[in-house]
């Protein structure tokens, strides 16, 4: 019996798949050739997770892989009606990015509370200017998105003495429902977006929402860029509706040099790196190989995405539903 065909939508550096030698026929493709090579594949590894090629190629003719794995937490770049309706199993890289992203958020909270950006700017100007920082312990945060990333952010902020309200799609024991978000955000010092991109979260942070925030509040987005109406955020910061923001994700990436976001007062811009720590690609490759070995043995796969919802559902603490949206 021939080895299963593993098709890799590649990006540099390529994944290390040496452990699969003799157990898979590994073929590589790019966006231009994916559509013609897709029908021959039993498994598709979306290593180039920033590409829209899968969504574009999937509706074409021929059979489709039985399993697709993306080396990312988000799956919005893959999903199209034909993939959603298919019996193809879709998995993601849940388990790799949660702690690094939570550490990054904690770093942003500390940096903004203590005005480290201002300190660096004053140092460049060789100017001695004493200020008072904000006390982090005792402040209030709202984390929007109650999946693994949101929960890890909550745990780390708790360790800093922050009171955290975790908001998900529906209310459960320790999780607030979406209907509580406005009330909680209006009292928060920190609003942290960590939700997947779905129809419900697209554009949810807009002028109406930013108008709820108190003048001392700060907004952080490590979820998906399209959840924020960027023009509304720029306008709100220009009008000083709230104290500042930090964006690690954007609707269009990479952010162009002519984007107005670079020059917005009070806005920290980072190039989608909150989850990327030294060795992260190796961890992604190791995770896929372990999943492939389970798949080859006919064992159930973890990290299976509910394609209708657009994320991996998990039983909440009292077992009544998902905790991701």
């Amino acid at each position: 019996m021939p080895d299963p065909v593993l098709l890799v939508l590649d990006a540099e550096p390529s994944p290390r798949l040496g452990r699969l030698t003799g157990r898979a026929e590994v073929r590589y493709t790019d966006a231009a050739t994916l559509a013609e090579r897709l029908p021959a594949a039993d498994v598709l590894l979306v290593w180039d997770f920033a590409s829209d090629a899968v969504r574009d190629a999937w509706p074409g003719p021929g059979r489709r892989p039985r399993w697709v794995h993306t080396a990312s937490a988000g799956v919005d770049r893959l999903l199209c009606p034909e993939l959603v309706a298919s019996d193809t199993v879709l998995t993601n890289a849940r388990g790799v990015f949660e702690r690094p992203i939570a550490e990054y958020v904690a770093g942003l909270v500390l940096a903004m509370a203590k005005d480290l950006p201002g300190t660096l700017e004053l140092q460049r100007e060789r100017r001695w200017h004493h200020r008072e920082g904000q006390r982090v312990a005792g402040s209030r945060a709202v984390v929007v998105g109650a999946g693994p990333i949101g929960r890890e952010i909550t745990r780390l902020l708790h360790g800093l003495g922050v009171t955290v309200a975790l908001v998900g799609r529906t209310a459960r024991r320790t999780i607030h429902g979406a209907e509580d978000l406005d009330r909680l955000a209006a009292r928060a010092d920190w609003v942290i977006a960590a939700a997947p991109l779905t129809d419900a979260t697209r554009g949810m942070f807009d002028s109406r929402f930013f108008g709820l925030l108190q003048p001392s509040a700060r907004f952080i987005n490590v979820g998906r860029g399209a959840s924020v109406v960027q023009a509304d955020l720029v306008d709100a910061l220009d009008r000083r509706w709230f104290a500042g923001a930090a964006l690690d994700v954007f609707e269009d990436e990479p952010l162009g040099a002519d984007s107005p976001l670079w020059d917005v007062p009070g806005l920290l811009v980072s190039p989608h790196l909150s989850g990327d720590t030294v060795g992260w690609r190796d961890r992604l490759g190791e995770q896929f190989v372990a999943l492939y070995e389970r798949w080859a043995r006919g064992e159930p796969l973890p990290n299976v995405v509910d394609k209708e919802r657009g994320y991996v559902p998990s039983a909440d603490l009292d077992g009544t539903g998902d905790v991701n949206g």
Side-chain angles (χ1 to χ4, degrees):
M1 183 176 178
D3 293 330
V5 174
L6 166 59
L7 185 63
V8 180
L9 180 58
D10 205 11
E12 292 294 335
S14 298
R16 297 181 181 181
L17 302 175
R19 275 171 51 190
L20 299 184
T21 301
R23 289 185 283 176
E25 181 184 339
V26 182
R27 302 176 184 175
Y28 294 88
T29 187
D30 58 17
T33 59
L34 176 62
E36 65 184 75
R37 296 182 180 180
L38 203 55
D42 298 295
V43 178
L44 173 65
L45 168 58
V46 185
W47 191 249
D48 185 2
F49 52 80
S51 171
D52 294 323
V54 174
R55 188 169 59 201
D56 296 337
W58 196 271
R63 73 179 185 92
R64 290 296 178 256
R66 291 174 282 162
W67 169 36
V68 173
H69 176 78
T70 180
S72 62
V75 298
D76 48 280
R77 286 187 174 273
L78 282 71
L79 292 179
C80 61
E82 292 82 1
L83 175 54
V84 171
S86 73
D87 58 2
T88 296
V89 175
L90 175 62
T91 57
N92 74 350
R94 183 176 183 171
V96 173
F97 297 109
E98 289 85 343
R99 181 69 182 195
I101 292 176
E103 291 175 352
Y104 194 80
V105 169
L108 286 172
V109 167
L110 290 169
M112 289 193 286
K114 307 307 178 184
D115 191 27
L116 294 186
T119 296
L120 291 172
E121 182 61 31
L122 288 166
Q123 180 178 345
R124 280 191 290 268
E125 296 174 2
R126 297 175 176 265
R127 198 152 60 92
W128 183 277
H129 176 56
H130 181 268
R131 292 101 65 220
E132 294 178 345
Q134 176 186 352
R135 183 179 171 90
V136 172
S139 63
R140 294 177 175 177
V142 175
V143 177
V144 184
I149 293 172
R151 288 191 173 198
E152 192 63 25
I153 291 169
T154 298
R155 278 191 285 268
L156 239 57
L157 293 183
H158 276 157
L160 294 175
V162 179
T163 299
V164 185
L166 187 58
V167 177
R169 186 171 58 89
T170 56
R172 278 89 69 191
R173 280 175 52 195
T174 60
I175 301 169
H176 294 271
E179 65 277 6
D180 294 332
L181 176 58
D182 286 0
R183 173 180 59 83
L184 294 167
R187 303 171 59 206
D189 301 292
W190 313 97
V191 176
I192 298 147
L197 184 61
T198 66
D199 289 342
T201 62
R202 186 181 296 276
M204 70 180 295
F205 302 109
D206 56 8
S207 286
R208 185 203 65 82
F209 180 84
F210 294 133
L212 299 171
L213 304 185
Q214 56 186 347
S216 59
R218 292 178 174 91
F219 174 78
I220 297 171
N221 188 16
V222 291
R224 279 293 180 262
S227 68
V228 176
V229 181
Q230 290 182 173
D232 290 359
L233 174 63
V234 171
D235 183 63
L237 288 171
D238 282 341
R239 294 172 182 264
R240 303 185 185 277
W241 286 0
F242 56 99
L247 301 180
D248 185 56
V249 289
F250 305 87
E251 187 164 9
D252 297 310
E253 297 182 5
L255 195 64
D258 59 348
S259 171
L261 294 175
W262 293 109
D263 300 314
V264 177
L267 177 61
L268 295 175
V269 170
S270 58
H272 203 153
L273 52 69
S274 61
D276 301 347
T277 54
V278 175
W280 65 283
R281 289 184 179 87
D282 289 339
R283 288 188 287 276
L284 287 171
E286 291 163 2
Q287 179 188 56
F288 174 74
V289 169
L291 290 175
Y292 184 92
E293 290 171 342
R294 291 184 62 138
W295 178 81
R297 294 193 297 266
E299 298 176 3
L301 290 170
N303 297 4
V304 174
V305 173
D306 183 320
K307 293 180 290 185
E308 292 284 351
R309 294 178 178 176
Y311 51 82
V312 178
S314 324
D316 67 8
L317 296 180
D318 60 6
T320 60
D322 70 85
V323 298
N324 285 273

